[in-house]
Amino acid sequence: MNFITTYCHISEDHCAVNGEVLLTNESENSWIRTLYDHFKIDYSKFHKMDLMSKIGVIGSEILKSQNGKIVDYDDDEIALVFANKNSSANTDVKFQQSFKENGSPSPALFVYTLPNIVLGEIAIKNKWYGENIFVVSENFDPEFYENYCNILIPSKAMACACGWVNVLNDSIEAFFFFVEKEASTEDSLPLTSNNLLNLRKA
Amino acid sequence: MEELKKNLKEQIIERLNLEDVQPADINDNDPLFGGDLALDSIDALELIVLFENYYGLKITDPEKGKKVFESINTMADYISKNN
C-alpha cells in the first residue's frame, strides 16, 4: 500500500494546500507572480516558461514546502506521473498566433508546444531524474495514477510526484499530490482511487 | 537613445514571453545571457527575429551576434549605428 502524503490545488483564482485555501487572486500583481513570490521561488528560468510549466514548477515547490522528506530522496528516486485534458493547446494557440500576427513563428513559444515539457522543467528545477510519464486523457482518471504509482513504487521509484495540470485559454485547473511507500505526514491517506477523487474535489 | 532602450526592453519582454518581468527589471548594462534573465540559444533566435522584424537588421555572423546581444546598451548602440 502506498500513501498520498501531501497535495495542493491551483486555479486561476486560488491556491489551496492540503485542502486549506492559502492564497486568493486579489493582488494587483499577476497571479503567477503572486504565487512565485509567496513560495519564494528564486529561479530566473521560470519567467520564460509557458503557463503550464510555471504552474507545474509552483506545484512541485508547494509539495516540497509541505513535506520536508521530499528533498531527502536521491535524484533518480522520484518519478513524475502527470496528465491533463488539453495537452499543450494553450501554448499551441499562442504559437499559431505568433506567426499569423507577427509574421514569424516564435522559437520561445515553439519549445513549449508539447505537454510533457512541463515534466522537463520540473525535473530540471528539482533534479528529479526518475521515470516520467505525461498522459492526455479526456477526464481526471484516478485509477491511472493509482495503478501507475503502484507499478513504479518500489521497483522503479521510491516516490511519485503526480499532477493533473490543465491550462486552456489561460484558465488553470491543477491538482498535485505526492505518493510515498510510507505515511510520512500526519495527514497521509492510502493511495486509492476514491481518496484521489475526494481530494481532487477538496 | 533612451526611448530606443525602453522599446527594446518592451520588445524583448513581448517576444520572449517574459510575462512576469517589467522593463524596469532589466538594467541597460546587465548581461542578457548568463545574467538574471537567463536567456539561452532559443532566445538568441528570438532576438535575431526581433532585429529583423522591428529594425530591418540581419545578424548572420554568430560572433557578431554575441557582441550585439550582450546587453540592452550594445543592442541599442548597434541599432543606432546601422539604422
Side-chain angles (χ1 to χ4, degrees):
Chain A
M1 170 68 73
N2 293 307
F3 293 88
I4 305 157
T5 57
T6 189
Y7 65 97
C8 66
H9 297 80
I10 302 171
S11 72
E12 62 277 8
D13 57 19
H14 79 278
C15 171
V17 178
N18 294 329
E20 302 286 331
V21 174
L22 192 70
L23 281 172
T24 53
N25 184 4
E26 291 168 351
S27 166
E28 286 181 0
N29 292 332
S30 85
W31 176 229
I32 297 301
R33 184 76 203 199
T34 301
L35 292 167
Y36 179 86
D37 290 341
H38 181 87
F39 293 105
K40 297 182 172 55
I41 304 169
D42 183 14
Y43 189 50
S44 51
K45 198 171 183 295
F46 178 90
H47 303 294
K48 301 194 305 175
M49 296 177 192
D50 75 340
L51 183 55
M52 189 159 77
S53 291
K54 285 177 178 173
I55 296 295
V57 166
I58 292 169
S60 71
E61 292 298 313
I62 296 174
L63 295 180
K64 283 193 299 183
S65 74
Q66 297 302 307
N67 182 346
K69 198 186 157 200
I70 294 177
V71 295
D72 293 336
Y73 285 101
D74 286 342
D75 288 359
D76 58 355
E77 288 183 337
I78 297 179
L80 299 173
V81 182
F82 275 59
N84 79 359
K85 179 179 180 179
N86 294 111
S87 186
S88 55
N90 196 62
T91 299
D92 296 348
V93 168
K94 290 180 182 178
F95 176 65
Q96 190 180 35
Q97 284 169 347
S98 79
F99 59 81
K100 274 191 174 171
E101 292 170 11
N102 299 330
S104 59
S106 162
L109 282 173
F110 176 71
V111 293
Y112 289 101
T113 56
L114 281 173
N116 55 333
I117 299 302
V118 64
L119 301 184
E121 295 290 12
I122 293 171
I124 292 166
K125 170 70 176 71
N126 295 290
K127 297 186 170 57
W128 290 345
Y129 302 136
E131 295 279 333
N132 68 75
I133 185 170
F134 194 110
V135 169
V136 178
S137 65
E138 186 64 23
N139 296 302
F140 177 79
D141 179 2
E143 287 185 1
F144 158 68
Y145 293 100
E146 183 187 358
N147 292 337
Y148 208 80
C149 290
N150 286 339
I151 289 168
L152 289 175
I153 302 173
S155 61
K156 296 284 186 185
M158 299 306 289
C160 294
C162 305
W164 171 265
V165 196
N166 201 58
V167 178
L168 190 65
N169 300 325
D170 291 336
S171 165
I172 303 161
E173 182 200 2
F175 169 47
F176 300 95
F177 53 99
F178 200 76
V179 176
E180 296 174 271
K181 251 191 335 180
E182 313 212 339
S184 65
T185 60
E186 284 182 11
D187 301 326
S188 296
L189 287 170
L191 176 67
T192 65
S193 294
N194 270 343
N195 280 339
L196 280 177
L197 271 181
N198 289 334
L199 293 183
R200 190 190 166 224
K201 290 177 198 160
Chain B
M1 194 62 137
E2 289 310 308
E3 187 66 20
L4 174 59
K5 290 177 187 175
K6 180 174 168 284
N7 290 341
L8 272 172
K9 291 175 187 178
E10 289 170 354
Q11 288 155 357
I12 288 172
I13 287 169
E14 186 200 340
R15 286 294 307 194
L16 273 53
N17 307 299
L18 305 172
E19 291 169 4
D20 304 314
V21 176
Q22 301 299 318
D25 297 334
I26 307 173
N27 293 317
D28 295 350
N29 257 328
D30 280 355
L32 295 174
F33 295 84
D36 286 346
L37 284 181
L39 303 192
D40 56 25
S41 55
I42 297 292
D43 302 311
L45 284 175
E46 289 283 5
L47 296 184
I48 290 168
V49 173
L50 185 156
F51 256 44
E52 284 192 34
N53 285 0
Y54 289 100
Y55 303 100
L57 296 170
K58 286 193 176 185
I59 305 283
T60 52
D61 177 0
E63 286 307 311
K64 184 195 274 185
K66 271 187 194 172
K67 288 176 185 165
V68 172
F69 297 132
E70 206 171 282
S71 68
I72 293 295
N73 273 342
T74 56
M75 288 176 75
D77 187 52
Y78 185 83
I79 292 167
S80 62
K81 285 177 180 166
N82 292 278
N83 229 340

